[in-house]
Amino acid sequence: MNHSLNIKSMKLYNNVERIFNELREIGKSTSDNLMVKDLSKFDQFHYHGTDAIDISIKKLGINDKSKILDIGSGIGGPARYIANKTGAKITAIELQSDQNQLANSLTKKCGLSNKVNHICGDILDYDFKNEKFDAVVSWLTLYHIPNHEILLKKLYNLLNPHGFFYTEDITSRIELSDDEVKEIEKEIYGKHLPYFNKYISNLEKSGFQLIYSEDMSSSWTEFTKDRVIQFNSEKERNIRVHGKEVVDSLNSFYNFVGKYYSNGRLGGIRCLAKKKDLSTSSSNSNSKLI
Ligand SMILES: C[S@@+](CC[C@H](N)C(=O)[O-])C[C@H]1O[C@@H](n2cnc3c(N)ncnc32)[C@H](O)[C@@H]1O
């Protein structure tokens, strides 16, 4: 399946090199070595930045023995943050080659290439041979993938016995009109937006046992509303740093997203589930987190 032809209709994915404008602002040249903390304000393409990643590290108990697969790794922010904080080994798969190349180069500059392996590919097609992971994690990615039955089957098979699946993903909160569906597809490349409860029942149907879930809708509504206000309040500074074209494009993206959470159409889920052993009738519910 080739999503890369029109996923760029989502404006967040244009001008990804803009991160170097921000780095220049803090006095870093494109050839400098970097620290993960230099990047964290700019390389997290989900909500609540590294606070959201800290929650996953805690809930999964990630440590230096953990082997993690990060799906839709973007420019590598979450993967670098986890590797740097815990010493875990991360395989980070990203569909878009420009983002993946940038991710790889930032990871090198942070001296983390021995911990984070960046792969460019589609999670549905990529052949991991016999590699297995202790946990599959993913932020704000899986709503781009239409068929979750196939996706979840693949993830199930990529996990070690009693491995974990952790995600933050977009949901819908009311029935969307045809026009809204079209607009969502164009502006955020939204392809899979079940209701919260359906998201969980899909997981359970695919061999996962839910351990924890949280409805993120009000939190993300607030976050995306504040993001619009903040971005506008720094408009002059942003134009100076990035130029008008980049600012207009990001502004349009932030406004669209803010509107669709605030009008009650879109919402969110954060959840943790465990791979059940389907070969025996009951799963081992005492298995430890990583
Ligand atoms: C909103 S970004 C989030 C990036 C990253 N998870 C983060 O939080 O910073 C979602 C990413 O998922 C990638 N993606 C979408 N479909 C994918 C697929 N089928 N396989 C791998 N990556 C995919 C997109 O290219 C995009 O970079």
Side-chain angles (χ1 to χ4, degrees), residues 8-12 14 183 186-188 224 227-228 231-232 235 244-260:
K8 289 285 185 201
S9 65
M10 176 159 152
K11 297 189 179 81
L12 181 69
N14 295 316
E183 209 180 11
K186 173 167 179 283
E187 299 295 336
I188 62 165
T224 55
R227 183 167 67 175
V228 169
F231 196 70
N232 276 327
K235 190 169 175 188
K244 189 166 179 321
E245 190 209 318
V246 172
V247 169
D248 286 348
S249 174
L250 273 181
N251 190 39
S252 151
F253 172 74
Y254 291 155
N255 272 307
F256 179 85
V257 172
K259 180 176 96 182
Y260 266 82

Side-chain angles (χ1 to χ4, degrees), residues 32-34 80 101-114 116 118:
D32 282 353
N33 287 338
L34 297 167
R80 278 187 298 273
Q101 270 168 29
L102 178 55
N104 203 12
S105 128
L106 294 171
T107 296
K108 269 194 202 136
K109 288 178 199 297
C110 290
L112 284 169
S113 298
N114 58 336
V116 182
H118 290 283

Side-chain angles (χ1 to χ4, degrees), residues 81-115:
Y81 184 80
I82 296 171
N84 187 51
K85 184 157 183 181
T86 69
K89 281 232 165 197
I90 325 273
T91 298
I93 183 164
E94 168 53 47
L95 181 69
Q96 298 177 60
S97 57
D98 58 345
Q99 293 207 60
N100 189 62
Q101 270 168 29
L102 178 55
N104 203 12
S105 128
L106 294 171
T107 296
K108 269 194 202 136
K109 288 178 199 297
C110 290
L112 284 169
S113 298
N114 58 336
K115 292 285 177 195

Side-chain angles (χ1 to χ4, degrees), residues 4 8 10 21 37 46 65 94 102 117 120-121 139 160 191 197 212 220 237 257 268-269 275:
S4 56
K8 289 285 185 201
M10 176 159 152
N21 302 335
K37 68 174 170 37
H46 54 265
K65 308 271 179 318
E94 168 53 47
L102 178 55
N117 177 28
C120 188
W139 285 269
N160 282 323
K191 299 278 193 182
N197 288 342
Y212 148 88
W220 291 359
R237 177 260 178 210
V257 172
I269 185 167
K275 173 176 177 163

Side-chain angles (χ1 to χ4, degrees), residues 162-289:
H162 312 301
F164 294 93
F165 170 60
Y166 182 98
T167 194
E168 291 191 5
D169 205 1
I170 305 182
T171 56
S172 56
R173 283 193 279 169
I174 56 170
E175 199 175 331
L176 303 167
S177 72
D178 289 350
D179 283 349
E180 286 164 350
V181 167
K182 273 197 206 126
E183 209 180 11
I184 288 170
E185 195 168 339
K186 173 167 179 283
E187 299 295 336
I188 62 165
Y189 203 62
K191 299 278 193 182
H192 179 263
L193 297 159
Y195 291 154
F196 185 91
N197 288 342
K198 182 80 171 41
Y199 203 98
I200 292 168
S201 62
N202 285 346
L203 278 176
E204 289 169 339
K205 263 194 246 146
S206 298
F208 290 92
Q209 180 192 331
L210 185 75
I211 294 179
Y212 148 88
S213 67
E214 193 173 342
D215 188 331
M216 302 307 291
S217 304
S218 20
S219 161
W220 291 359
T221 301
E222 283 312 303
F223 179 92
T224 55
K225 202 192 281 178
D226 290 348
R227 183 167 67 175
V228 169
I229 295 169
Q230 172 87 10
F231 196 70
N232 276 327
S233 75
E234 294 172 353
K235 190 169 175 188
E236 271 177 41
R237 177 260 178 210
N238 291 334
I239 291 177
R240 176 179 60 75
V241 173
H242 296 288
K244 189 166 179 321
E245 190 209 318
V246 172
V247 169
D248 286 348
S249 174
L250 273 181
N251 190 39
S252 151
F253 172 74
Y254 291 155
N255 272 307
F256 179 85
V257 172
K259 180 176 96 182
Y260 266 82
Y261 282 109
S262 290
N263 69 14
R265 263 68 179 166
L266 295 181
I269 185 167
R270 173 188 284 157
C271 63
L272 168 64
K274 187 179 72 174
K275 173 176 177 163
K276 278 200 273 189
D277 183 355
L278 298 179
S279 63
T280 58
S281 54
S282 70
S283 71
N284 175 5
S285 56
N286 293 324
S287 76
K288 290 201 199 77
L289 294 187

Side-chain angles (χ1 to χ4, degrees), residues 1-17:
M1 193 179 297
N2 188 353
H3 304 281
S4 56
L5 287 179
N6 50 3
I7 199 168
K8 289 285 185 201
S9 65
M10 176 159 152
K11 297 189 179 81
L12 181 69
Y13 301 150
N14 295 316
N15 311 305
V16 286
E17 303 274 330

